[in-house]
Amino acid sequence: MYVKDIQTGICEKHGEPAVEKESAATALVDGRNLLGPVVGNFCMELAVKKARDVGVGWVVAHGSNHYGIAGYYAMQALKENMIGMSFTNTSPLVVPTRGKECTLGTNPISVAAPAADGDSLVLDMATSAVAIGKVELYERRGDPIPEGWGCDARGQLTTEPGRVLGGGGLVPLGGSEATGGYKGFGLGMMVEVFCGILAGAQYSKNIRTWKETSRVADLGQCFVAINPENFAPGFSERLSDLLRIQRGLNPANPDIPVLVAGDPERMHMKMCEEMGGIPYHMNVVNYMNQCAQKVGVSTLLPCDRLISN
Amino acid sequence: MYVKDIQTGICEKHGEPAVEKESAATALVDGRNLLGPVVGNFCMELAVKKARDVGVGWVVAHGSNHYGIAGYYAMQALKENMIGMSFTNTSPLVVPTRGKECTLGTNPISVAAPAADGDSLVLDMATSAVAIGKVELYERRGDPIPEGWGCDARGQLTTEPGRVLGGGGLVPLGGSEATGGYKGFGLGMMVEVFCGILAGAQYSKNIRTWKETSRVADLGQCFVAINPENFAPGFSERLSDLLRIQRGLNPANPDIPVLVAGDPERMHMKMCEEMGGIPYHMNVVNYMNQCAQKVGVSTLLPCDRLISN
């Protein structure tokens, strides 16, 4: 997707994001249609700088593109012992409660907070019940999806992935109205307020559809850093204790421990470290090698071990 | 509950909250164990003042008490054409995903944002699927609750309200792990980070149980104001358009329109204005008159019209 954005020229390849308006604690940034990670890194760095000075930095950008993993930016603040947040609006894939048309993206919320000894809480969640990729996976497998993930073209919850993908849409976190779907809808709207509305970017159903490249994305994004030093002493120790309380809970199923946000990824990283590398399916390696060949970069992925299972 | 807090002397009756630490954009406040609304008004006013100066104000308080409606504080920012947010930690009533013990409160998130012509988005939501009062209501009626509201003492989702109230607990927004309950759990943790952890107040299962008055509450709360003037021009108009897009959607059921957060309360206010007053059930009026008599204040509620239905 990123390569295509560069090849079609729909993204800018050169230049730097520009600060359009600034105060000690805030900034409005023009992403100048550069790749999302370029805009995101620029804005998060600025937010951390402001939080160092006045305790909080709130930076929003318009003219941005898909920025990858929301949590990546929030986690930049951890290096400075700060709380980081990042939000982005996205292409319409979510049907509001009571509706039957997609007018919001999966609009993620990410928050990272530093605990003691390098530990942390890292929340990175779509405000829909699941990502669209998960529904696609179930369709490919031919499996039904759990009720509460998506709806059909008439706005009715469905367990058939094909109906979600063919004219329906994802539903907000919470599922049906009875189980609190309107709260997920409200959270998606909050993210849109922090992104498209605050930044003056595209918003809601005006955002180009997923993978469309006929016009610029002009996404809105929001980056926040909060310095615990400006509040009560002992932040990291209290957070460690909070994490300890949750992880130490007696689980409902003795074989499935209680985890906090960020733990599954931490466990995967530990596994990779023990393996001495990141495992990919051979099909992914082959596909990436083909991509590399097409764009004329080295196909030599450092793939030095084959594991079968 | 508030009257009891005053009568038992577990809350302070005199004094003012105090700023302990301050920057241009942040403040740490000692609520001095005053009633929650006293602390909340003090902090929100301070947050708005800071947002007027530097675009954002982030104020946290420890030593607070139950502050009533989270949205009330967020909405104070609307008068200044600002975005307001408020968060509080609360007594443990929520069971984390995979757990079977209540270690988080219903920890609400509230966000209010000003649209044009007095319109607004007002989100005020518990990070649990529902409030405990809703489960109590179903129990009194003898009705089963929808799956995804609460679990029993073994951590299993249940539709029997009695099991939720008798040793079980509420579950996070999203319900089961398969439908995204871990996201609601993560949001509840985020609120705890902004409140108990950032403010140095009580947190998680250390918070006194609901309606317990044998020790001070020492709740943590967080109040944020964001000035759209510091970002892209035209905020209110864009927000109005966003609200128009959602409200104007073709509903799945032609009789049930799509609403945005704050609309149900707005509709109720309109109804009250048309009726010329706020309707209460006669039992509530009688109960409040009894309370008034007990504490020695006038029992003369301005109840001038009886409506039967």
Side-chain angles (χ1 to χ4, degrees):
Chain A
M1 186 179 76
Y2 303 124
V3 167
K4 202 174 156 196
D5 280 350
I6 291 291
Q7 284 177 330
T8 59
I10 202 75
C11 269
E12 289 300 326
K13 291 189 281 281
H14 304 289
E16 286 289 324
V19 175
E20 288 187 325
K21 206 187 266 191
E22 199 170 14
S23 79
T26 64
L28 173 66
V29 169
D30 178 357
R32 287 182 167 165
N33 195 28
L34 290 155
L35 286 168
V38 175
V39 180
N41 285 335
F42 180 91
C43 291
M44 196 65 213
E45 203 176 300
L46 192 55
V48 166
K49 193 173 158 291
K50 288 175 185 297
R52 213 180 286 130
D53 290 343
V54 293
V56 53
W58 194 288
V59 178
V60 303
H62 62 92
S64 191
N65 282 284
H66 195 276
Y67 75 176
I69 303 165
Y72 172 80
Y73 307 96
M75 287 175 77
Q76 301 306 310
L78 296 180
K79 299 176 195 164
E80 311 283 331
N81 271 312
M82 292 185 192
I83 301 170
M85 292 201 276
S86 122
F87 310 87
T88 182
N89 62 14
T90 56
S91 299
L93 286 170
V94 176
V95 176
T97 308
R98 300 187 175 182
K100 52 183 177 178
E101 186 189 331
C102 297
T103 54
L104 279 179
T106 53
N107 296 3
I109 295 174
S110 179
V111 183
D117 304 320
D119 196 8
S120 57
L121 176 81
V122 181
L123 179 67
D124 182 352
M125 52 171 271
T127 50
S128 53
V130 292
I132 194 78
K134 224 162 165 177
V135 179
E136 289 170 342
L137 190 69
Y138 274 65
E139 198 201 24
R140 244 174 284 145
R141 281 205 219 128
D143 287 337
I145 54 172
E147 178 151 312
W149 284 16
C151 66
D152 63 20
R154 294 170 305 129
Q156 308 298 322
L157 286 187
T158 178
T159 57
E160 293 179 45
R163 286 179 183 267
V164 174
L165 300 169
L170 299 172
V171 297
L173 173 63
S176 72
E177 186 167 345
T179 51
Y182 53 93
K183 295 185 182 190
F185 172 33
L187 289 170
M189 289 285 275
M190 177 190 80
V191 172
E192 189 59 283
V193 166
F194 293 164
C195 295
I197 308 302
L198 208 48
Q202 289 294 341
Y203 53 86
S204 185
K205 65 174 183 178
N206 303 330
I207 298 176
R208 70 183 191 187
T209 55
W210 180 232
K211 291 186 178 169
E212 179 193 345
T213 51
S214 60
R215 55 187 174 115
V216 302
D218 187 14
L219 295 186
Q221 287 156 357
C222 177
F223 305 87
V224 182
I226 301 154
N227 193 349
E229 295 271 313
N230 282 60
F231 301 96
F235 177 87
S236 299
E237 289 69 28
R238 276 191 301 281
L239 180 53
S240 282
D241 187 44
L242 176 66
L243 300 180
R244 200 179 304 125
I245 290 171
Q246 313 301 350
R247 289 175 181 148
L249 281 175
N250 241 331
N253 176 338
D255 298 330
I256 307 178
V258 177
L259 302 178
V260 300
D263 279 352
E265 293 76 11
R266 223 181 315 263
M267 287 158 71
H268 189 75
M269 282 165 70
K270 190 161 174 276
M271 186 196 79
C272 291
E273 274 161 24
E274 285 166 4
M275 292 177 83
I278 304 172
Y280 285 99
H281 193 280
M282 203 56 217
N283 292 356
V284 176
V285 175
N286 290 337
Y287 178 76
M288 292 311 292
N289 279 338
Q290 281 167 26
C291 287
Q293 223 155 13
K294 263 191 227 158
V295 298
V297 300
S298 166
T299 60
L300 202 69
L301 270 182
C303 173
D304 54 10
R305 191 142 58 107
L306 284 174
I307 304 165
S308 53
N309 65 352
Chain B
M1 186 179 75
Y2 303 124
V3 167
K4 202 174 155 194
D5 279 350
I6 290 292
Q7 283 176 331
T8 59
I10 202 74
C11 270
E12 290 299 327
K13 291 189 281 282
H14 304 290
E16 286 289 324
V19 176
E20 288 187 325
K21 205 187 265 190
E22 200 171 13
S23 80
T26 65
L28 173 66
V29 169
D30 178 357
R32 288 183 166 164
N33 195 28
L34 291 156
L35 286 169
V38 175
V39 180
N41 284 336
F42 180 91
C43 292
M44 197 65 214
E45 203 175 300
L46 192 54
V48 165
K49 193 172 157 291
K50 288 176 185 299
R52 213 179 287 129
D53 290 345
V54 293
V56 54
W58 194 289
V59 177
V60 303
H62 62 91
S64 192
N65 283 283
H66 195 276
Y67 76 176
I69 303 164
Y72 172 78
Y73 307 98
M75 288 175 77
Q76 301 306 309
L78 296 180
K79 298 175 196 164
E80 311 284 331
N81 271 312
M82 292 185 190
I83 301 170
M85 290 200 277
S86 122
F87 311 88
T88 182
N89 63 14
T90 56
S91 299
L93 285 170
V94 175
V95 176
T97 307
R98 300 186 175 183
K100 51 183 177 180
E101 187 189 328
C102 297
T103 54
L104 279 180
T106 53
N107 296 4
I109 296 174
S110 180
V111 184
D117 305 319
D119 196 8
S120 58
L121 176 80
V122 181
L123 179 67
D124 181 352
M125 52 169 271
T127 49
S128 53
V130 292
I132 194 78
K134 223 161 165 179
V135 179
E136 290 170 343
L137 190 69
Y138 275 65
E139 197 200 25
R140 245 173 284 144
R141 281 205 220 128
D143 287 336
I145 54 171
E147 180 151 310
W149 284 17
C151 67
D152 63 21
R154 295 170 305 128
Q156 308 299 321
L157 286 187
T158 178
T159 57
E160 293 179 45
R163 287 180 183 268
V164 175
L165 300 169
L170 299 172
V171 296
L173 174 63
S176 72
E177 187 167 343
T179 51
Y182 54 93
K183 295 185 181 188
F185 172 33
L187 289 170
M189 289 285 274
M190 177 190 80
V191 172
E192 189 59 283
V193 166
F194 292 164
C195 295
I197 307 302
L198 208 49
Q202 291 292 341
Y203 53 87
S204 184
K205 65 175 184 180
N206 304 330
I207 299 176
R208 69 182 192 188
T209 55
W210 179 232
K211 290 187 179 168
E212 179 192 345
T213 51
S214 59
R215 56 187 175 114
V216 301
D218 187 16
L219 295 186
Q221 287 156 357
C222 177
F223 305 86
V224 182
I226 301 154
N227 193 349
E229 295 271 313
N230 282 60
F231 302 96
F235 177 87
S236 300
E237 289 68 29
R238 275 191 302 281
L239 180 53
S240 282
D241 186 45
L242 176 67
L243 301 179
R244 200 179 306 125
I245 290 171
Q246 314 301 351
R247 289 174 181 148
L249 282 174
N250 241 332
N253 175 339
D255 299 330
I256 307 178
V258 177
L259 302 178
V260 300
D263 279 351
E265 294 77 11
R266 223 181 316 261
M267 287 157 71
H268 190 76
M269 283 165 69
K270 190 161 174 277
M271 186 196 80
C272 291
E273 274 162 23
E274 285 167 4
M275 290 177 84
I278 304 171
Y280 285 99
H281 193 281
M282 203 56 216
N283 292 355
V284 176
V285 175
N286 289 336
Y287 178 76
M288 292 310 292
N289 279 338
Q290 280 165 28
C291 288
Q293 222 154 14
K294 263 190 224 158
V295 297
V297 301
S298 166
T299 61
L300 202 69
L301 271 182
C303 172
D304 54 9
R305 190 142 57 108
L306 285 173
I307 304 165
S308 54
N309 64 355

